[in-house]
């Protein structure tokens, strides 16, 4: 009997074991994949890796665009419970009416933003309200610590960090980073265990050619000039004439980069590269360079401009003052329109056009900023009878301030046309240099001899008897040219008698230039001449810039009182 | 009839020890697993703290950058003109590394030999 029981018991036990083994085989082999996936779904969570744009710094590493991490508040309408008192506090914290907040929350759906990228203190106060259905997500916010500084260069991004203007737009593919995914484990309560992986991906950093101090100097001086002359707008560009590196570029009106979306079109316009104007006398570089390069004239060639006017195509063009007989050098120095037209006629329209194109007129400079325009100059076959009297003095052509600066830089650097640029280097997040723009293309367009001769002529402009004496600075020679141009009245489509563009373009020290600069003031009131309006701005900026750049004064000039060894 | 040999004391002790060891091992593994999880929670909390600290650091760095901007420095000066860049005609900086530059500094008009 006992033996029989033992057999039955053993059979039951063995059978039970078989059942267990079969079940295990079923779970662990046949249904393994399905069950493993089901388990993973319960304890694994896929989270986004935050992508951060690279930062933008000036040539000395000073930060111009950074990232902050701020909280955004969202609402899950299905879990939202309306508590009037808390809602009132929430509304006051968000600077809105309670009804406006309620209007944002739909009946259906599980997600709606209530506020994006809020200040930390505000977010903490909202968190402390503990309103059911409200949640918080951390988002990256682009922050521009210098506010308005270099606004037209840096540009800005939108609320979702989409690039909209300036370097942010032009170099977006380098600055932005693509976010990835990371798998984290969580417990039954939803708490995330240590992820142990990087939760941030950074874009490449951009090093600009801009210098914050020089930028601040030009913005301050331009602002002063704008106030003094009650001008409508203004632009200043400072460039290294040898490399094409833009050291500073400012336009007024400007805008606060942290409130870029609320700036109007006028404030956002980068006039230095997007606005065309008739250059007036600064365009005389074309006839000057052309005549010297073609060996038509020498600096001491004589012109009789004693009549004070010249008739071209039935139109009489006059000088501001009556002069007698002027040398070619004096024609440029005194900015004689009559003399310049005579030079233009000697050069001829084909060669005039050729040298305008050689100096980059009517062509984009290739600057690495969005929105540059080419300006225009008509080909000789489309010139009217008056064109040969207008173009040599800077009428019937449209240029940008940067084009004129680039042309004068060719004189400063011995005859090369440089490519202006604002980005110096692109650096990866781990510090490697991805791209360097230190050696941009430059093309020889005129002989060094022509450049040298014209430089001497330009030096005379800021000396006694010239139109740009107010641009001269103590300690160094300045080479440059004034420009005064009438603006077109859009209503009459004729030259306005009230609206002018005053400009001064030059480089300093004249014989070993460190900076080339153009100052353009649109619609000044009270005074119109480039020599009176723009030249003093050039002088004030150059004085400070040369001091900052530690450019020594020239020995033939005054000796300093104090010498400091560094 | 066969006589069964009764298990000895040593054998009983060994079996009991093995059972206790087995139970201890099971509990040990559970304890280890629990400690491991605790550590993961601690690391998770520390990572959260680190993230918050980094966030705060970014805010502080941004504030510092804003405060140290040249524009702020110039306006922070008490005089109306703000920060003034030295008059380069009166003061000139000389790089002593350049051989052609004078090595000694002087205040000529003040009759001083040393800086």
């Amino acid at each position: 009997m006992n033996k029989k029981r033992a057999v039955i018991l053993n059979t039951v036990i063995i059978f039970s074991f078989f059942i267990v083994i079969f079940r295990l085989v079923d779970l662990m082999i046949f249904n393994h994949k399905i069950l493993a996936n089901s388990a993973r779904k319960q304890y694994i969570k896929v989270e986004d890796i935050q992508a951060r744009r690279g930062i933008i710094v000036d040539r000395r590493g000073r930060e111009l665009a950074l990232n902050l991490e701020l909280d955004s508040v969202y609402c899950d309408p299905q879990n939202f419970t309306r508590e009037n008192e808390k809602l009132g506090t929430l509304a006051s914290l968000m600077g809105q009416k309670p009804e406006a907040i309620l209007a944002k929350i739909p009946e259906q759906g599980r997600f709606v933003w209530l506020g994006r990228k809020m200040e930390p203190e505000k977010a903490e106060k909202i968190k402390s309200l503990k309103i059911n259905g409200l949640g918080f997500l951390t988002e990256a916010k682009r922050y521009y610590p210098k506010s308005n500084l270099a606004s037209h260069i840096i540009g800005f991004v939108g609320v979702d960090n989409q690039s909209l203007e300036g370097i942010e737009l032009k170099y977006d593919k380098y600055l932005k980073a693509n976010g990835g995914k990371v798998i984290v484990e969580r417990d039954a309560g939803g708490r995330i265990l240590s992820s142990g992986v990087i939760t941030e991906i950074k874009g490449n950093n951009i090093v600009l050619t801009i210098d914050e101090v020089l930028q601040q100097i030009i913005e301050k001086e331009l602002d002063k000039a704008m106030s003094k002359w009650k001008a409508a707008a203004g632009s200043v560009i400072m460039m290294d004439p040898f490399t094409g590196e833009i050291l500073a570029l400012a336009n007024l009106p400007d805008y606060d980069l942290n409130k870029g979306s609320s700036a109007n079109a006028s404030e956002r316009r980068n006039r230095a590269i997007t606005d065309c104007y008739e250059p007036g006398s600064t365009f005389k570089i074309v006839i000057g360079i052309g005549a010297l390069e073609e060996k038509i004239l020498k600096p001491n060639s004589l012109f009789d401009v004693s009549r004070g006017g010249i008739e071209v195509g039935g139109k009489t063009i006059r000088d501001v003052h009556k002069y007698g007989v002027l040398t070619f050098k004096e024609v440029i120095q005194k900015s004689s329109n009559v003399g310049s037209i005579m030079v233009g006629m000697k050069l001829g329209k084909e060669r005039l056009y050729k040298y305008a194109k050689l100096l980059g007129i009517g062509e984009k400079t290739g600057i690495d900023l969005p929105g540059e325009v080419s300006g225009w100059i008509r080909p000789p076959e489309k010139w009217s009878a008056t064109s040969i009297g207008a173009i040599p003095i800077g009428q019937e052509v449209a240029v940008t301030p940067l084009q004129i600066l680039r042309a004068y830089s060719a004189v400063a650097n011995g005859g090369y046309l440089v490519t202006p640029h604002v980005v110096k280097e692109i650096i990866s997040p781990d510090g490697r240099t991805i791209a360097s723009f230190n050696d941009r293309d430059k093309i020889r367009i005129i002989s060094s001899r022509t450049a040298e001769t014209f430089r001497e002529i330009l030096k005379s402009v800021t000396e006694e008897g010239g139109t740009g004496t107010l641009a001269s600075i103590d300690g160094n020679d300045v080479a440059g040219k004034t420009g005064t141009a009438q603006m077109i009245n859009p209503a009459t489509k004729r030259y306005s008698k009230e609206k002018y563009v005053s400009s001064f373009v030059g480089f300093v020290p004249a014989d070993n230039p460190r900076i080339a600069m153009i100052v353009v003031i649109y619609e000044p009131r009270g005074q119109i001449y480039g020599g009176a309006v723009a030249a003093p701005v050039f002088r004030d900026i150059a004085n400070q810039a040369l001091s900052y750049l530690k450019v020594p004064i020239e020995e033939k000039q005054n000796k300093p009182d104090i010498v400091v060894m560094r | 009839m066969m006589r069964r040999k009764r298990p000895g004391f040593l054998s009983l002790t060994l079996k009991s020890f093995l059972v206790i060891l087995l139970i201890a091992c099971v509990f040990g593994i559970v304890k280890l697993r629990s400690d491991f999880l605790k550590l993961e929670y601690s690391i998770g909390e520390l990572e959260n703290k680190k993230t918050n600290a980094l966030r705060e650091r970014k805010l502080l760095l941004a504030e510092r950058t804003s405060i140290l901007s040249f524009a702020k420095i110039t306006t922070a000066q008490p005089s109306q003109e703000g920060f003034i860049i030295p008059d380069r005609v009166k003061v000139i900086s000389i790089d002593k590394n350049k051989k052609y530059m004078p090595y000694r500094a002087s205040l000529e008009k003040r009759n001083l030999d040393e800086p």
Side-chain angles (χ1 to χ4, degrees):
Chain A
M1 190 64 187
N2 279 347
K3 198 179 174 185
K4 200 178 175 184
R5 277 185 186 172
V7 169
I8 292 167
L9 188 65
N10 280 343
T11 311
V12 169
I13 290 169
I14 289 166
F15 185 70
S16 303
F17 265 105
F18 268 108
I19 289 173
V20 169
I21 287 165
F22 278 133
R23 181 62 179 150
L24 284 175
V25 168
D26 180 48
L27 291 176
M28 296 174 77
I29 297 172
F30 296 117
N31 287 317
H32 171 74
K33 267 191 181 172
I34 298 161
L35 294 169
N37 281 340
S38 171
R40 272 174 70 85
K41 277 181 191 166
Q42 287 178 25
Y43 68 84
I44 293 287
K45 191 184 174 196
V46 179
E47 287 212 325
D48 289 329
I49 299 178
Q50 300 288 332
R52 303 280 181 259
R53 288 178 79 77
I55 64 166
I56 301 174
V57 297
D58 83 343
R59 64 187 298 122
R60 296 195 182 200
R62 304 173 186 115
E63 295 96 342
L64 300 172
L66 299 167
N67 300 304
L68 299 182
E69 281 167 30
L70 299 178
D71 282 321
S72 293
V73 60
Y74 66 87
C75 177
D76 176 359
Q78 305 303 314
N79 291 326
F80 179 68
T81 41
R82 183 176 167 171
E83 294 169 80
N84 285 340
E85 196 180 326
K86 286 183 178 179
L87 187 66
T89 317
L90 174 71
S92 70
L93 282 170
M94 295 183 73
Q96 296 176 21
K97 286 184 177 174
E99 300 81 50
I101 291 178
L102 286 173
K104 283 184 187 173
I105 304 170
E107 298 274 323
Q108 304 295 319
R110 298 296 306 261
F111 185 95
V112 63
W113 286 117
L114 293 186
R116 302 285 300 272
K117 301 175 184 179
M118 294 179 300
E119 290 162 29
E121 299 80 25
K122 201 187 275 185
E124 283 308 313
K125 283 180 185 169
I126 295 173
K127 276 181 192 171
S128 67
L129 291 174
K130 291 183 179 156
I131 299 173
N132 281 342
L134 290 199
F136 295 85
L137 284 177
T138 302
E139 290 191 290
K141 180 182 166 60
R142 200 65 159 161
Y143 177 65
Y144 304 96
K146 314 285 161 74
S147 302
N148 290 44
L149 193 89
S151 51
H152 297 103
I153 297 171
I154 299 166
F156 63 96
V157 296
V159 71
D160 289 315
N161 287 337
Q162 73 279 22
S163 56
L164 295 174
E165 292 276 0
I167 288 295
E168 294 276 24
L169 177 62
K170 191 78 179 178
Y171 285 86
D172 186 48
K173 69 173 178 180
Y174 293 103
L175 284 165
K176 77 176 177 191
N178 293 320
K181 302 277 182 194
V182 61
I183 295 169
V184 292
E185 284 183 33
R186 61 180 175 174
D187 65 10
R191 285 179 298 174
I192 291 169
L193 304 179
S194 164
S195 54
V197 291
I198 303 161
T199 53
E200 187 178 276
I201 296 173
K202 292 175 184 166
N204 300 304
N205 301 328
I206 300 248
V207 182
L208 298 182
T209 58
I210 301 298
D211 187 299
E212 184 196 336
V213 175
L214 296 175
Q215 182 69 29
Q216 176 60 25
I217 290 169
I218 69 164
E219 289 191 11
K220 185 183 72 182
E221 294 301 330
L222 181 59
D223 189 43
K224 273 190 202 169
M226 291 274 289
S227 304
K228 185 176 178 185
W229 302 111
K230 295 180 179 63
S235 294
V236 177
I237 314 169
M238 187 189 288
M239 185 165 90
D240 181 329
F242 291 92
T243 62
E245 286 183 353
I246 302 287
L247 301 171
L249 183 153
N251 300 285
L252 281 179
D254 62 358
Y255 62 101
D256 183 348
L257 288 170
N258 293 308
K259 297 169 188 163
S261 304
S262 57
N264 63 40
S266 168
E267 291 166 336
R268 281 160 62 167
R269 248 163 57 200
N270 188 353
R271 293 166 205 274
I273 61 165
T274 63
D275 276 25
C276 288
Y277 69 107
E278 284 195 349
S281 297
T282 53
F283 195 77
K284 288 171 184 166
I285 186 175
V286 175
I287 49 135
I289 291 287
L292 291 172
E293 188 75 355
E294 295 289 332
K295 296 185 175 63
I296 294 169
L297 297 170
K298 288 181 179 171
N300 56 4
S301 302
L302 295 174
F303 291 89
D304 181 4
V305 296
S306 55
R307 289 185 181 182
I310 185 168
E311 196 182 308
V312 184
K315 189 180 166 188
T316 305
I317 295 148
R318 298 183 188 283
D319 275 334
V320 177
H321 305 289
K322 273 194 176 180
Y323 308 107
V325 175
L326 296 179
T327 61
F328 172 50
K329 183 179 178 179
E330 285 169 333
V331 165
I332 301 293
Q333 184 194 25
K334 296 181 189 301
S335 203
S336 163
N337 288 336
V338 178
S340 300
I341 292 166
M342 288 174 171
V343 177
M345 286 172 160
K346 270 185 180 288
L347 192 61
K349 57 184 185 179
E350 296 291 343
R351 285 189 292 196
L352 204 162
Y353 180 75
K354 174 188 154 190
Y355 281 96
K357 293 302 260 185
L358 265 181
L359 287 164
I361 307 300
E363 307 281 346
K364 288 183 181 179
T365 64
I367 190 170
D368 46 352
L369 281 172
E372 188 189 17
V373 296
S374 59
W376 57 265
I377 177 168
R378 281 179 294 174
E381 58 272 18
K382 290 187 178 174
W383 287 17
S384 68
T386 57
S387 295
I388 194 66
I391 292 173
I393 59 169
Q395 294 181 340
E396 291 190 20
V397 288
V399 298
T400 63
L402 185 61
Q403 285 174 333
I404 291 292
L405 178 63
R406 188 188 185 208
Y408 278 81
S409 292
V411 178
N413 66 30
Y416 294 93
L417 198 65
V418 294
T419 307
H421 57 282
V422 291
V423 170
K424 198 174 169 66
E425 282 176 336
I426 300 173
I427 311 281
S428 71
D430 56 2
R432 282 179 299 111
T433 302
I434 292 174
S436 175
F437 304 104
N438 290 333
D439 297 314
R440 298 291 282 249
D441 294 341
K442 53 181 183 182
I443 311 152
R444 177 169 283 285
I445 51 164
I446 51 169
S447 66
S448 59
R449 191 175 169 181
T450 299
E452 181 63 33
T453 310
F454 200 68
R455 175 189 304 193
E456 290 303 317
I457 294 173
L458 290 178
K459 274 160 77 171
S460 72
V461 172
T462 62
E463 290 165 1
E464 205 175 329
T467 55
T469 51
L470 290 178
S472 65
I473 61 171
D474 290 336
N476 292 100
D477 287 335
V478 176
K481 183 74 194 79
T482 55
T484 310
Q486 285 174 284
M487 293 176 80
I488 300 284
N489 184 337
T492 60
K493 294 189 177 169
R494 299 179 75 89
Y495 282 114
S496 165
K497 286 182 180 169
E498 292 91 35
K499 292 181 178 178
Y500 288 82
V501 180
S502 309
S503 59
F504 185 88
V505 57
F507 47 88
V508 62
D511 294 317
N512 184 21
R514 287 291 302 275
I515 54 171
M517 181 164 52
I518 184 166
V519 178
V520 183
I521 308 286
Y522 299 88
E523 299 178 43
R525 289 181 195 172
Q527 184 57 270
I528 56 164
Y529 294 110
V533 176
V537 183
F538 182 98
R539 176 197 60 208
D540 294 343
I541 293 172
N543 253 329
Q544 295 172 65
L546 293 179
S547 179
Y548 171 70
L549 293 170
K550 300 192 182 95
V551 176
I553 62 168
E554 283 152 9
E555 287 198 356
K556 64 180 181 182
Q557 308 274 348
N558 299 334
K559 286 202 169 180
D561 293 343
I562 305 168
V563 177
V564 178
M565 185 178 71
R566 287 184 187 266
Chain B
M1 201 168 161
M2 277 182 67
R3 278 189 68 189
R4 273 198 171 174
K5 198 180 173 185
R6 293 188 66 178
F9 175 74
L10 191 67
S11 167
L12 272 174
T13 313
L14 197 66
K15 279 180 183 171
S16 311
F17 176 73
L18 283 174
V19 169
I20 291 165
L21 189 68
L22 191 71
I23 293 166
C25 281
V26 169
F27 277 98
I29 288 167
V30 171
K31 176 82 170 65
L32 272 176
R33 174 74 183 146
S34 147
D35 285 352
F36 181 73
L37 275 176
K38 264 188 197 169
L39 272 176
E40 281 202 327
Y41 280 124
S42 305
I43 294 169
E45 274 172 28
L46 285 172
E47 278 173 357
N48 266 344
K49 277 186 186 169
K50 186 185 163 190
T51 309
N52 288 337
L54 283 173
R55 232 173 112 169
E56 203 166 330
R57 182 170 169 261
K58 282 182 183 173
L59 280 169
L60 291 170
L61 276 175
E63 203 173 332
R64 190 190 72 169
T65 308
S66 175
I67 290 167
L68 289 179
S69 72
F70 186 67
K72 288 262 170 72
I73 292 169
T74 53
T75 51
Q77 291 296 308
S79 64
Q80 209 177 1
E81 291 291 319
F83 178 82
I84 296 170
I85 292 175
D87 183 344
R88 52 193 297 274
V89 176
K90 291 183 178 162
V91 180
I92 180 168
S93 303
I94 293 169
D95 186 350
K96 70 176 179 182
N97 296 321
K98 289 184 180 171
K99 284 180 183 171
Y100 53 84
M101 292 287 187
Y103 254 72
R104 294 178 76 101
S106 66
L107 294 161
E108 287 175 356
K109 290 192 176 171
R110 297 184 193 180
N111 202 24
L112 292 170
D113 289 325
E114 294 296 327

